[in-house]
Amino acid sequence: MTIEYDKDLTCLTTFKVPAKAAIYAEYEDEKDLLKLSRTPEFTENEFLHIGSGSNLLFLNTFKGIVLHSRIKGISQYRKDEETVYVMAGAGEKWTDLVECCIANGIAGLENMAGIPGEVGASAVQNVGAYGAEAGDFIHSVVCFDVLTRKKIILKKEECHFGYRNSIFKNDAKGKLIVMQVSYRLRIGTDARNLEYKPLKDFADSLGRTPSIRELAEEVIRLRDSKLPNPAMIGSAGSFFKNPEVNSYFFQEEIKPRGIDIPVYPSSQEGKVKLSGAWLIDHAGLKGYKIGGAEVWQNQPLVIANTGTATGKDVASLAEHIIKTVKIKYGIELHPEVNYIDSEIKVTVLGSGTSKGVPEIGCTCEVCRSTDPKDKRLRASVLVETHGMRILIDASPDLRQQALRLGLSNIDAILLTHQHYDHVGGIDDVRPFCIENDINIYTNHQTATDLRTRVDYCFREHPYPGVPKLNLHEMECEPFMINGLKVIPIEVMHGRLPIYGYRIGDFAYVTDAKTIPEEEKEKLKNLEVLILNCLRVTQPHFAHLILPEALELIEELKPRRCYLTHANHNLGLHKDISAILPPGVEYAYDGEVITIE
């Protein structure tokens, strides 16, 4: 086991953009990992596990500990005359595993020859190419459970493999570390997976079935013709996934435009897969540059580092590609690459209470104010971090908020509770469900209410076009969204227990009246807290008022606090802002808060 500090990771990623980690550690085996897991470097910090860094984009210094496996070894045993199981250490190079199988007459992985990375990443990313995916062949995965510090084995079905996805990128991220992967393969030297057109053409040119060696060499030749040489030019291979859209959207929105885009079957029921490369190419983006980042001429799914790119150059170029394709074709591209980004950007979509400000029919000074900061839609925020957009609450004003912001995609929704001013916009998320169902995280009571409130979304045969929702009922325990740790905080809204949420050094608490002492611990050491404050002096049975909010802020001591969920009785923005103590601000709609 080795531990280093202030580690330069630039040469440990295939993008070769400047990258650093506060702490870096390598381990040789399970005992080494167990020992490492008990060190303060591990227990007191967020961790990130990397392989060869082939699917990572660092946008700033990772403040926690970066781990790397050096667990090696490849072994095999036969089940019968046709089947062989191959076990490989997570630290083995994927290309070495593929070559070992081919040299020993073991078929299955040859279509994935030449993919950069290590064996552990094959399970995490469900890597794939030329008509094959690692998840098609993985039999089981040996993991280290971070919480119990014990070895566990997940069968293939438990890994939830999907297109460039697995449980290790979602619920198990931060909980399980891959140590070894077992593959169920076939004894034989004849290549059988020839469905991908270039491979079928290759077989036709030979006039016979190619061997697994010949197929692997052809796959590598094809890869080399499209992808930049990693020894010369940094990249992460394909930066974007090929978009998978629901069939209804494709038939109703894409085909009528007369777009002659290649269409492929999807492994997901009710969806089709489209060519991301075609979309980028026909959007005129081949060769487009921002800073030192460039769309690769031979394969537009690739973003290349021409030598001077920063992580933010690459991210800016990716954002430009996504926006351009969306405008031209109405299709949202999603990165395959994982953004390593500790920065959190919070946009206040709405800062008002259940009736908003101005209130209908009211002629008070606040409701008549012409100051934009006194115009308050129902409370909600958008959190952007780690390459994701997460919506906290879907207010009845969501459509207006999304249009005002130009929001075209969200990755998940966190719901605080079931009151209408926090869930009334659920039906408006349907434009965000074109490619993927929207994951919604909340407590049992809110989930139960939602199944009744928008029951048409959960029927066995829903009407085409309704929002596609995946409801996750969460206990008040930390959980993961695509590797991002989210901590629910149970607060009392009068007698109703509801959730606030903490993400990194940011927390959002709305509709609170009291917070149990054990939950207050989750709100310590915050950079930014957004906290509800209904009005100035008149007490309310379910909401904090200004003196109570200020008292709680003094107890929790966040570095910055923003007051939200205000009604017109709180007063004019300029007047309240003038009397707030240092570090406390009166939030307003459209405000952007950055936590570095």
Side-chain angles (χ1 to χ4, degrees), residues 554-574:
E554 178 61 29
E555 180 183 355
L556 297 176
K557 292 182 168 51
R559 291 178 180 83
R560 291 179 282 162
C561 186
Y562 297 80
L563 303 179
T564 192
H565 207 280
N567 71 10
H568 59 172
N569 292 322
L570 188 58
L572 295 169
H573 185 277
K574 64 180 180 63

Side-chain angles (χ1 to χ4, degrees), residues 36 134 152 195 311-312 316 367 493 508-509 577:
L36 176 62
I152 66 169
E195 294 301 312
K312 293 194 174 178
S316 296
C367 290
H493 180 34
Y508 182 78
V509 175
S577 296

Side-chain angles (χ1 to χ4, degrees), residues 442-459:
T442 190
N443 60 21
H444 171 73
Q445 192 167 356
T446 304
T448 301
D449 180 86
L450 210 58
R451 289 190 181 95
T452 301
R453 190 185 297 273
V454 288
D455 64 301
Y456 54 89
C457 296
F458 301 101
R459 293 172 185 166

Side-chain angles (χ1 to χ4, degrees), residues 205-342:
S205 70
L206 291 177
R208 58 177 172 80
T209 300
S211 69
I212 56 176
R213 169 72 67 191
E214 289 171 326
L215 188 73
E217 290 174 351
E218 177 62 11
V219 165
I220 292 172
R221 187 193 69 77
L222 289 168
R223 289 182 63 87
D224 289 346
S225 69
K226 294 181 178 181
L227 303 176
N229 183 340
M232 304 291 292
I233 297 174
S235 81
S238 293
F239 192 94
F240 296 101
K241 302 175 186 177
N242 286 311
E244 294 186 295
V245 303
N246 66 59
S247 301
Y248 176 79
F249 175 80
F250 179 74
Q251 293 294 333
E252 295 294 318
E253 298 290 339
I254 303 300
K255 286 190 73 173
R257 296 188 186 197
I259 301 171
D260 189 25
I261 184 173
V263 183
Y264 307 98
S266 170
S267 58
Q268 299 185 65
E269 185 179 353
K271 292 190 176 183
V272 293
K273 184 183 291 187
L274 308 178
S275 170
W278 188 97
L279 289 166
I280 298 170
D281 184 9
H282 286 74
L285 291 169
K286 270 188 180 180
Y288 191 91
K289 294 182 181 180
I290 291 181
E294 177 183 12
V295 179
W296 192 243
Q297 289 281 358
N298 294 342
Q299 170 50 277
L301 280 179
V302 174
I303 294 179
N305 175 5
T306 60
T308 59
T310 65
K312 293 194 174 178
D313 287 343
V314 176
S316 296
L317 179 54
E319 183 178 0
H320 176 76
I321 293 167
I322 292 168
K323 285 183 177 179
T324 303
V325 169
K326 178 74 173 183
I327 290 169
K328 188 161 186 177
Y329 297 110
I331 298 169
E332 186 101 10
L333 292 175
H334 295 275
E336 185 176 330
V337 170
N338 296 304
Y339 287 60
I340 310 304
D341 185 11
S342 58

Side-chain angles (χ1 to χ4, degrees), residues 451-483:
R451 289 190 181 95
T452 301
R453 190 185 297 273
V454 288
D455 64 301
Y456 54 89
C457 296
F458 301 101
R459 293 172 185 166
E460 185 176 356
H461 301 292
Y463 185 82
V466 304
K468 305 282 189 178
L469 310 177
N470 287 331
L471 267 180
H472 302 266
E473 297 184 19
M474 312 306 299
E475 299 294 333
C476 197
E477 298 291 338
F479 61 93
M480 295 286 179
I481 302 177
N482 196 22

Side-chain angles (χ1 to χ4, degrees), residues 477-507:
E477 298 291 338
F479 61 93
M480 295 286 179
I481 302 177
N482 196 22
L484 177 68
K485 185 177 182 180
V486 179
I487 303 173
I489 302 140
E490 189 170 82
V491 304
M492 298 304 297
H493 180 34
R495 295 181 179 178
L496 177 68
I498 69 171
Y499 280 174
Y501 294 98
R502 177 169 184 161
I503 298 173
D505 292 333
F506 164 72

Side-chain angles (χ1 to χ4, degrees), residues 157-212:
E157 314 81 63
E158 298 174 291
C159 295
H160 300 164
F161 290 122
Y163 178 49
R164 304 296 176 266
N165 204 4
S166 73
I167 192 173
F168 306 107
K169 290 183 69 174
N170 295 291
D171 294 346
K173 190 165 185 178
K175 298 177 183 178
L176 300 179
I177 295 174
V178 175
M179 295 192 294
Q180 294 171 304
V181 185
S182 171
Y183 304 85
R184 187 179 189 272
L185 303 172
R186 173 177 60 85
I187 297 171
T189 59
D190 57 316
R192 295 182 182 176
N193 188 348
L194 302 171
E195 294 301 312
Y196 194 79
K197 187 177 184 304
L199 302 186
K200 185 177 184 302
D201 291 345
F202 173 64
D204 290 343
S205 70
L206 291 177
R208 58 177 172 80
T209 300
S211 69
I212 56 176

